[in-house]
C-alpha cells in the first residue's frame, strides 16, 4: 500500500509513530486552549473547512465543527442523508463544486469504503476521513488513545481490551493500526460471528468471553452495538448479546479505565450500574475529541 | 415547591417579581442595542450556547440563536426531531456529551414535561426551558408581558384576556404564573373542553364566550389552535371553533392591544380583517423576543 | 411592466445594461478578494442576511451563505422543505416575523412564480430572487454571463447556445432577458415539447437538433434535465432525450466553452467524455457565483 501524502488523514495506517506523538503534543496545547474562558485560538483564521457528511452524524460532525471554529476557521456544512448519486451528481462533482466555492480542507463521512481516499486523490486540499463505511475512523482511534495517554501519562506497555461488534466497526479497525504504533497491547473480544476471519491471523489475542478478556487489562473500550450496520442478524438477539457480552461492574477491578465511543445503549453493551464506575473516561473522550480534531486540522493546514 | 437556583430559567414560577422587573430592564438595554446599525454587543464573547431542540421549531430556535449571536456568543445547534432515546442514547447522555465539548448554557425544548428540570438538576451550567411539553414556556410569557410593558409603560392594573386552547398550551400556564407577579389581571376564555378542570379553582375569571371575555380588557392574547398537540379531537371541528371563538374586529374597541405567539392560522383563531388592526403588537412580540432572550442569557451567564 | 425600485433583485428584466456592467465590475473586485488567503472583506459587517429557502437547494444556498459571510455579514437560515402554508402561516407572515428579528436583506427561493416579487412589495428591505418556480433565477444568468465575460474579455458579439428543457427552466428565461442587454446572440435548442409556444415569437433562433445549434457558437450552456419539475412526461424517456439531445465531444470544436448550472447528470444531458473537455468553465461558474452574489448583496445593501 503506497504512502499517502502527508496532507490528508485517511487512516491510522498512513501515520507514523512519530506523527501520532506529534498529534498528541498538539492536542495537549489545544486542550489547554479549551480550558481558557473563551476556548479559542486564532490559528486557522481565514481558513474554511467543509464538512461533507453523507451519513447522519451528530457528535462527530459537531466535534469537527467546534474544533474548526475554536481554531478561528469558517465552516461550510454540506449534509446529505442519501447519496449524492441520488440527485444525479457524483461524489467527486459535489466535492469539486464545494471546492470551487473556496475551501481549504474537507472532512468526509460516507458509507462507501475508500470514499475519502478517492476524494483525497482528486482534491488539491487536505481530506480528513471521518468514517468510510466499516473501514477506518482515524480521529476516533486517536482520541481514544489520547484519552488513555492523558490518564496514564503513557501508552507503552498498557493493555487495552476492545469488546463488541468487530465485524462492522471502523473504530476497531483503526485501533488495530494504532496499537503497535503507540505500544498498546490489544485484546479483542466478540461473539465468533462478529470477528472477521482474517483477524485471527493478525496475532492479537482474541477472546469470546468477557471475563478473561478484561482480567488484568488497563482499559476496556466497549463498542456500540449498531443495528443499522448489520444487514443480517449476526447474533440471536440483543438480549442474547447482553447476556454474554455486556460489560458489568463485576468484570472490572479498581483502576481499570472504561471507554466507549458513544452513543451508549445502556443495558445492551454496558450494564446501567457502570454509569457510576469511577474510572470512566467516556466524557473525557468527547472533550479530547475536540482537542484531537483541532490538532489534526492544524497539522494538515499549517503543520 | 423548592426555589430553583438562580442560574436556570425553568419556569416563570421560579422567578420573583423583582427578577422579572430586572429582566425587563435588561431587555430595555438590549432592545436599544438591536436598534443600532450592527445590532450587536460583546457581552457574551467567548461563551458557547447549546440549542437542544427535540421538537421542531423555527421561530423560537432562530430567536434564541440570534439572541446569543447578538451578544457575541457562539452557538452550537443540536436538533433531533425524534427523541434521543430512539438512537439508544438517553437525554442526559446527549446533554453530557455536548457539555463535554465545551458549552456554557443550554436552551432545551422537549415534549417531555419536566425535561428541562431534569437536565438542570444534572448539568453544572444554566438551563433555559424553551418549552417542555404542555408545561411551561417562560420566555414567551416574559416577551408577551414585556411587549405590554413597553406599550403601556406599566403592567400593574392592566387586564389581559387569553383566548384559545388552554388545555394544551404551555404559554397559557406560564401566564398564570406571571400575571400575579407583574400585577396583571388575567381573564381566560376557551371552549369548556379546552379548560383544565383544575384551573376553575385558581380564582381567575373563566369565560366560555368571547364578547364578555374581551369587553374592557386592555389586551387580548389569542393562542394558536395546535392540531399537532391534540391527540383526540376536543372540539367538533375547526369550523365550529372559528364560529364561536375566533376573534373578530367587532369584538375589539380602539386601544385594545392584540397579541399572538405565532404562527397565526388566519381564519381560524383570528379573523383575517384583524391583519389591519392598528393596535396589533404581534411583530413587536417577535422583536421583543430577541431582546428578552438576550436578557435571559446575559442574566444567567453574567448576572 | 413597471420598473422595480433599485433595491431588489427580482429578475434580469428589471436590470439595465449599465447595472449589469456595474455588477460585473463589482464581481471583479470581489473575485480578487476571493483569491486572497482569507477570502474576506469587511464590507457588510453588522448586516444580517436572511436566507428563505422553501425549495430544497444546496449549492445556491451555500453560495449565498458564503457570499454573505465573505462580506462580513451575519446569516440567518430559514429552510422549509414544504410551503409555510402547511403550518398555517402565510409566506408574508413568515417573512415579517424574520424581519422583526432584525434582518437587512432577504434571499428567497420558492416554487411559486412571483413569490419574491410579492415579498419585495411588502418588505422594507432588499429582496433577492434565488429562483421563483419556473420564472427567473437572475443570479444564475449573471454568473453564467460573467463567466463568459471573464473568459472572452467581452460579451458583445458572442453567440451562446442553450440546450435543454426550456419549458421548466428559470435559468433559460433569465438568459432571454440578459442576452440583449449584454450583446449576446442567443440560440435555443430543445425537443419541440420542451419549447414554450410563446418563445417562437421572440425572435431567437430555435433549433430542434444539436449539431446546427452548436455549430459556430462561442459557448454552449447545457441545462440539467429536472425530473422533479416535470409533472407530466414531456419526452418519451431519458434514454430518448440522451440519444438526440445529449451534448457529445464530436459536437464541439476547440475553443467552444462548455457551461452547465449543475448538478450534472453525466450520461443524460452531457456525454461522460466531456468531463475532459479542455474549455469547460463549469467549476469557474461556481467560483464566479460567489463573486456575483457578493456583488449583488453589496450593491443592494451599500450601493
Amino acid at each position: 500500500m503506497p504512502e499517502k501524502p502527508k496532507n490528508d488523514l485517511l487512516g491510522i495506517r498512513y501515520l507514523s509513530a512519530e506523527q501520532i506523538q506529534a498529534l498528541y503534543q498538539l492536542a495537549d496545547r489545544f486542550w489547554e486552549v479549551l480550558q481558557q474562558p473563551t476556548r479559542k485560538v486564532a490559528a486557522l483564521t481565514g481558513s474554511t473547512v467543509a464538512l461533507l457528511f453523507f451519513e447522519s452524524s451528530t457528535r462527530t460532525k459537531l466535534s469537527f465543527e467546534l474544533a474548526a471554529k475554536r481554531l478561528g476557521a469558517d465552516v461550510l456544512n454540506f449534509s446529505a442523508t442519501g447519496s449524492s448519486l441520488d440527485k444525479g451528481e457524483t461524489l467527486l462533482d459535489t466535492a469539486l463544486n464545494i471546492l470551487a466555492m473556496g475551501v481549504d480542507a474537507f472532512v468526509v463521512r460516507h458509507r462507501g469504503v475508500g470514499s475519502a481516499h478517492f476524494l483525497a486523490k482528486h482534491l488539491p486540499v487536505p481530506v480528513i476521513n471521518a468514517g468510510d463505511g466499516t473501514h477506518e475512523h482515524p480521529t476516533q482511534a486517536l482520541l481514544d488513545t489520547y484519552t488513555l495517554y492523558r490518564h496514564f501519562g503513557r501508552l507503552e506497555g498498557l493493555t487495552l481490551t476492545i469488546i463488541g461488534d468487530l465485524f462492522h466497526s471502523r473504530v476497531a479497525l483503526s485501533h488495530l493500526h494504532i496499537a503497535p504504533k503507540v505500544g498498546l497491547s490489544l485484546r479483542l473480544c466478540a461473539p465468533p460471528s462478529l470477528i472477521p476471519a482474517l483477524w485471527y491471523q493478525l496475532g492479537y489475542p482474541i477472546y469470546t468471553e468477557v471475563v478473561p478478556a478484561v482480567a488484568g487489562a488497563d482499559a476496556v473500550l466497549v463498542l456500540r452495538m449498531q443495528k443499522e450496520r448489520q444487514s443480517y442478524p449476526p447474533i440471536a438477539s440483543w438480549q442474547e448479546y447482553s447476556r454474554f457480552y455486556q460489560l458489568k461492574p463485576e468484570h472490572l477491578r479498581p483502576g481499570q479505565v472504561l471507554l466507549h465511543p458513544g452513543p451508549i445503549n445502556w443495558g445492551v453493551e454496558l450494564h446501567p450500574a457502570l454509569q457510576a464506575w469511577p474510572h470512566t473516561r467516556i466524557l473525557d473522550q468527547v472533550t479530547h475529541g475536540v482537542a484531537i480534531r483541532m490538532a489534526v486540522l492544524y497539522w494538515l493546514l499549517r503543520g
Side-chain angles (χ1 to χ4, degrees), chain A:
Chain A
M1 209 163 300
E3 275 281 305
K4 296 292 308 177
K6 72 170 159 56
N7 62 337
D8 294 309
L9 177 61
L10 302 178
I12 297 293
R13 74 180 67 188
Y14 309 111
L15 292 178
S16 68
E18 292 70 32
Q19 285 173 320
I20 292 168
Q21 295 302 324
L23 285 172
Y24 292 162
Q25 313 312 324
L26 266 177
D28 278 343
R29 282 172 46 196
F30 290 127
W31 187 87
E32 292 293 338
V33 169
L34 294 175
Q35 308 313 306
Q36 307 300 321
T38 69
R39 304 194 187 91
K40 276 191 184 166
V41 64
L44 295 186
T45 304
S47 295
T48 301
V49 176
L51 308 181
L52 263 69
F53 277 69
F54 295 92
E55 279 191 332
S56 67
S57 158
T58 41
R59 76 191 60 216
T60 303
K61 194 159 68 113
L62 274 182
S63 181
F64 270 110
E65 186 174 339
L66 268 182
K69 289 182 175 171
R70 299 299 196 210
L71 290 166
D74 292 310
V75 171
L76 190 155
N77 251 308
F78 179 89
S79 295
T81 42
S83 160
S84 65
L85 298 169
D86 296 345
K87 293 169 296 177
E89 185 171 61
T90 66
L91 175 61
L92 181 57
D93 275 358
T94 300
L96 287 172
N97 268 274
I98 288 170
L99 178 71
M101 292 187 193
V103 306
D104 302 287
F106 283 83
V107 179
V108 181
R109 171 170 287 190
H110 193 284
R111 65 168 183 244
V113 168
S115 46
H117 299 65
F118 170 75
L119 287 181
K121 192 174 291 183
H122 290 88
L123 296 175
V125 298
V127 173
I128 299 170
N129 183 3
D132 61 323
T134 58
H135 184 220
E136 276 231 37
H137 187 4
T139 56
Q140 182 72 42
L142 284 169
L143 75 89
D144 291 343
T145 53
Y146 179 62
T147 300
L148 295 177
Y149 168 79
R150 285 192 69 94
H151 180 80
F152 290 105
R154 64 184 171 97
L155 290 173
E156 191 69 38
L158 297 181
T159 299
L160 171 67
T161 300
I162 301 180
I163 306 177
D165 177 358
L166 304 175
F167 199 93
H168 299 86
S169 172
R170 50 194 174 206
V171 177
L173 189 57
S174 287
H175 272 281
L176 290 193
H177 287 289
I178 206 167
K181 294 179 179 175
V182 297
L184 274 180
S185 296
L186 210 58
R187 298 178 185 175
L188 303 170
C189 176
S193 62
L194 290 175
I195 302 171
L198 198 69
W199 290 27
Y200 287 97
Q201 306 168 22
L202 297 177
Y204 294 107
I206 293 182
Y207 299 81
T208 54
E209 287 182 46
V210 171
V211 171
V214 169
D218 297 289
V220 183
L221 170 63
V222 179
L223 300 176
R224 183 165 172 259
M225 282 302 284
Q226 304 190 80
K227 267 184 178 168
E228 63 272 23
R229 290 243 183 82
Q230 299 170 353
S231 47
Y232 67 100
I235 49 171
S237 69
W238 278 31
Q239 286 69 29
E240 187 88 349
Y241 181 84
S242 301
R243 191 173 157 203
F244 291 106
Y245 290 94
Q246 183 185 82
L247 190 70
K248 299 182 179 67
E250 58 262 36
H251 295 139
L252 294 175
R253 292 289 178 87
Q256 286 188 303
V257 165
L258 176 60
L259 300 178
H260 189 295
I264 302 171
N265 300 301
W266 290 107
V268 180
E269 68 266 11
L270 284 182
H271 191 283
L274 284 173
Q275 291 181 336
W277 184 248
H279 310 289
T280 293
R281 289 293 170 270
I282 294 174
L283 292 175
D284 284 349
Q285 289 174 275
V286 178
T287 305
H288 295 154
V290 179
I292 278 287
R293 281 157 188 146
M294 290 171 80
V296 167
L297 285 167
Y298 184 81
W299 170 59
L300 293 177
L301 284 166
R302 295 285 186 278

